[in-house]
Amino acid sequence: MPKVHGSLPIVWDDALGPAYAAGAGAAAPSYTVDFIAETGGNANELRLPTFSETTNDRVYFTVQFPHDLYIPASGNITLRPHVHWTFNAEPTDGETVVWELNYVIAAANATFAATVSVLTATAYTTTAAAEIRKHIITSLGDITMSAADAGPSMVLVGNLKLDSSSTIAASLVGLLSFDVHYQKCPIGTDTEFA
């Protein structure tokens, strides 16, 4: 029977929301901008969902948390959503990228809130360095919730967009992935065949 090993540290893991698993709505990012252009005429271009803050481009997703989610007997748990993204082309220096997450979350058999919560990331400001195709990770802040409200198979429903305060030019920001760090305990058995 698996059990939590109290002498080992609690560790972090990802609950994943890959970019192409996210659904696009009426204000969808573009899926026609090349991340890496075709070479040799054999349709080998690569594309990412590409955002513009002026059109409220957004993607919709759900993230289900695994059963190994660490839930203390009392107190709170902390979830850390973040965005993996890149630039499809070199941005102008001094422009900003600000991501916004709108979400609700509920454990199994619990009720989702009727209104969304909002997390807005700190602005990323472009620099004079070459940033095209750089893998950038931006934290959206913390989601803190009561341990009593958390549970295995808990689901976060949300949308992700560029905040309207962003100053980045259109068609430059490509989404790689959205995910949420959560804590879990090392799990295993005391003996090989137990």
Side-chain angles (χ1 to χ4, degrees):
M1 175 67 94
K3 72 176 205 177
V4 173
H5 293 274
S7 63
L8 296 175
I10 295 169
V11 296
W12 289 93
D13 203 350
D14 287 316
L16 303 175
Y20 278 96
S30 171
Y31 290 82
T32 61
V33 177
D34 287 348
F35 170 54
I36 299 177
E38 176 183 45
T39 56
N42 70 350
N44 64 349
E45 78 281 351
L46 302 178
R47 292 184 174 162
L48 296 171
T50 303
F51 289 73
S52 171
E53 85 290 349
T54 59
T55 54
N56 262 335
D57 293 343
R58 57 197 177 275
V59 292
Y60 301 91
F61 60 86
T62 61
V63 173
Q64 181 177 354
F65 291 85
H67 287 229
D68 62 1
L69 175 69
Y70 170 67
I71 304 170
S74 63
N76 295 322
I77 68 165
T78 300
L79 306 172
R80 296 207 166 114
H82 53 282
V83 183
H84 293 252
W85 60 281
T86 190
F87 291 108
N88 294 320
E90 192 63 44
T92 301
D93 296 346
E95 293 183 325
T96 59
V97 175
V98 182
W99 290 98
E100 178 182 296
L101 170 66
N102 299 278
Y103 71 93
V104 293
I105 190 167
N109 297 313
T111 302
F112 288 98
T115 58
V116 300
S117 296
V118 180
L119 289 177
T120 305
T122 301
Y124 175 92
T125 304
T126 57
T127 66
E131 294 178 285
I132 183 173
R133 294 186 302 278
K134 180 180 178 183
H135 181 171
I136 302 166
I137 302 172
T138 298
S139 172
L140 287 156
D142 290 351
I143 297 172
T144 302
M145 63 186 298
S146 167
D149 294 332
S153 293
M154 180 170 64
V155 172
L156 182 142
V157 180
N159 84 35
L160 181 68
K161 67 179 186 173
L162 284 185
D163 186 79
S164 60
S165 65
S166 299
T167 61
I168 194 71
S171 300
L172 290 185
V173 176
L175 177 64
L176 297 169
S177 185
F178 166 82
D179 60 281
V180 183
H181 282 164
Y182 68 96
Q183 289 186 303
K184 67 180 187 177
C185 288
I187 296 176
T189 57
D190 289 337
T191 63
E192 181 182 1
F193 299 106

